[in-house]
Amino acid sequence: MSTERSTLITARPPGLVDVLDRILDKGLVIAGDIKVSLANVELLTLQIRLLVCSIDKAEQIGLNWWRYDTNLTTRAERAEAENVELRERLLELEQEIRKLGAAARVAGNEPVATRQVTTRKVRTKRRT
């Protein structure tokens, strides 16, 4: 640090901009626990962790969750479109399965799995 800068720092107290610049550059961690008890029985525990720093500093320490948060990235739109497409395809497949099951029952060729379930239901009814 130059002597001019050190004399300026000692000559005047740091302002809000200086404090924010230092916090964003170095980072600030606030951690605390809040516990609520009644008659020595712990009812609630809140653990609070707060990290304030710049994006560059966060990436240096390995925090980059915002890159993968679907609410913050453009990938969210693609993922939502894919989800809609998959839901529609699932509905189509379920309808096709129902149609095949109904056609098999009409033809008298009920699937084996369905027959077994039906047989079990009949047996439980007879026992009661």
Side-chain angles (χ1 to χ4, degrees), residues 16 36 39 64 69 101 109 128:
L16 180 61
V36 178
N64 58 359
D69 189 342
N109 297 331
T128 55

Side-chain angles (χ1 to χ4, degrees), residues 43-62:
L43 301 174
L44 177 68
T45 299
L46 297 174
Q47 293 182 334
I48 299 170
R49 308 291 182 258
L50 175 67
L51 170 66
V52 179
C53 64
S54 68
I55 290 177
D56 295 334
K57 184 67 175 179
E59 287 179 337
Q60 282 178 355
I61 61 175

Side-chain angles (χ1 to χ4, degrees), residues 98-116:
R98 282 190 208 110
K99 288 178 187 176
L100 291 172
R105 279 191 290 280
V106 168
N109 297 331
E110 195 171 352
V112 175
T114 308
R115 266 189 264 136
Q116 290 174 351

Side-chain angles (χ1 to χ4, degrees), residues 66-114:
W66 58 86
R67 290 183 184 219
Y68 307 105
D69 189 342
T70 56
N71 295 319
L72 299 175
T73 62
T74 56
R75 288 182 253 172
E77 294 170 1
R78 270 187 301 187
E80 186 59 34
E82 185 179 353
N83 284 342
V84 168
E85 182 182 333
L86 289 172
R87 285 186 193 111
E88 290 172 356
R89 182 69 181 135
L90 181 63
L91 286 174
E92 291 172 9
L93 290 171
E94 287 174 345
Q95 290 172 351
E96 188 67 28
I97 289 170
R98 282 190 208 110
K99 288 178 187 176
L100 291 172
R105 279 191 290 280
V106 168
N109 297 331
E110 195 171 352
V112 175
T114 308

Side-chain angles (χ1 to χ4, degrees), residues 12-26:
R12 64 179 172 90
L16 180 61
V17 174
D18 296 329
V19 171
L20 283 176
D21 183 48
R22 176 168 253 175
I23 288 173
L24 292 176
D25 183 45
K26 300 290 183 189

